[in-house]
Amino acid sequence: MPTFPSRPFRGSSSAPTLAASYRTALAKHPFLLFGLPFIATMVAGSFFLTPATAIRYEKHDRKVRQLSKEEELGLKGGGRRVDLNEEYYRLAAKDLDDWENKRVKRLKGENDGIL
């Protein structure tokens, strides 16, 4: 009898059970262990997160909605009536030729533009 037989030893743990066949299938096809659960998680996550992203964009749309011209200007019917002739004469009465240039005080550390 030879020292090392040509047939490999098959113990009781390698009997044709479901666990043993699953283990051999995983050894032959590692995609079933790593790839398939990963892809299933990505697909399931996409379906579960779709309502959450929809809520996020609906909230953003409510916050940033299109304003009408009156809302942009802040006029909601409470302003005074404007007469063009009255405005023209009011602006014409101002003395626009007599003015003095005054520098605005700069913030600390801001460049004041003086060379």
Side-chain angles (χ1 to χ4, degrees):
M1 179 167 189
T3 309
F4 297 107
S6 60
R7 293 184 318 176
F9 173 74
R10 304 226 187 257
S12 63
S13 64
S14 62
T17 62
L18 180 64
S21 61
Y22 181 71
R23 203 174 323 124
T24 57
L26 284 180
K28 291 179 184 174
H29 307 287
F31 175 77
L32 296 175
L33 181 62
F34 298 108
L36 189 62
F38 177 74
I39 291 175
T41 303
M42 291 297 117
V43 171
S46 171
F47 282 111
F48 286 121
L49 290 176
T50 299
T53 56
I55 291 171
R56 174 183 170 217
Y57 288 118
E58 287 170 5
K59 181 181 176 185
H60 179 70
D61 288 343
R62 269 187 264 122
K63 192 185 298 182
V64 186
R65 61 183 173 83
Q66 194 166 10
L67 300 175
S68 67
K69 282 287 186 191
E70 291 176 353
E71 289 174 333
E72 284 179 22
L73 299 174
L75 303 175
K76 293 193 176 180
R80 65 180 178 92
R81 299 276 306 168
V82 177
D83 182 24
L84 288 180
N85 287 332
E86 179 186 333
E87 290 296 317
Y88 173 76
Y89 289 120
R90 189 174 62 84
L91 290 173
K94 288 189 175 183
D95 186 18
L96 298 178
D97 294 329
D98 187 26
W99 58 275
E100 182 180 338
N101 190 11
K102 295 182 181 178
R103 290 190 59 83
V104 177
K105 188 166 185 153
R106 304 290 194 235
L107 296 173
K108 186 176 181 179
E110 186 178 7
N111 185 11
D112 61 355
I114 298 176
L115 296 176

